[in-house]
Amino acid sequence: MSARIYQRPKNAMQSGKALLDQWVLEFVPAEAKKPDPLMGWAGSGDTRQQVTLKFPDVEEAKAYAERYGIEAEVHATPPRRLKIQAYADNFR
């Protein structure tokens, strides 16, 4: 079993910053998705893809993974870059 631990990125469509401090543990898919012969929907028999665990910090997520023998890879959060720009800059 392998998983990845990451911090939620900010939603580009909203200005709010709710839930950005949460760390998420998601399992890596064990098998590829295949189309259902009747409806054509994509699916697989891997139910671990449906599980998403949330933690307040990265240390708790790592401890959980170690406790249950899950090989977890931590993805660092990229730094946020703000582009400070005045409205008048649009007319230069």
Side-chain angles (χ1 to χ4, degrees), residues 8-81:
R8 262 181 221 258
K10 183 182 173 301
N11 187 352
M13 297 298 186
Q14 297 178 346
S15 61
K17 295 180 181 170
L19 304 177
L20 291 182
D21 55 344
Q22 287 186 347
W23 286 82
V24 179
L25 185 141
E26 284 184 345
F27 291 97
V28 175
E31 63 181 57
K33 292 186 177 186
K34 53 188 177 277
D36 180 56
L38 178 64
M39 298 297 289
W41 296 338
S44 70
D46 184 20
T47 57
R48 288 183 293 149
Q49 286 180 284
Q50 302 170 5
V51 177
T52 302
L53 302 173
K54 299 172 186 103
F55 298 93
D57 57 2
V58 68
E59 286 80 21
E60 287 191 33
K62 285 183 191 176
Y64 179 87
E66 287 179 15
R67 189 177 330 126
Y68 290 102
I70 300 168
E71 298 173 20
E73 181 180 339
V74 178
H75 294 274
T77 307
R80 294 188 190 121
R81 291 184 219 120

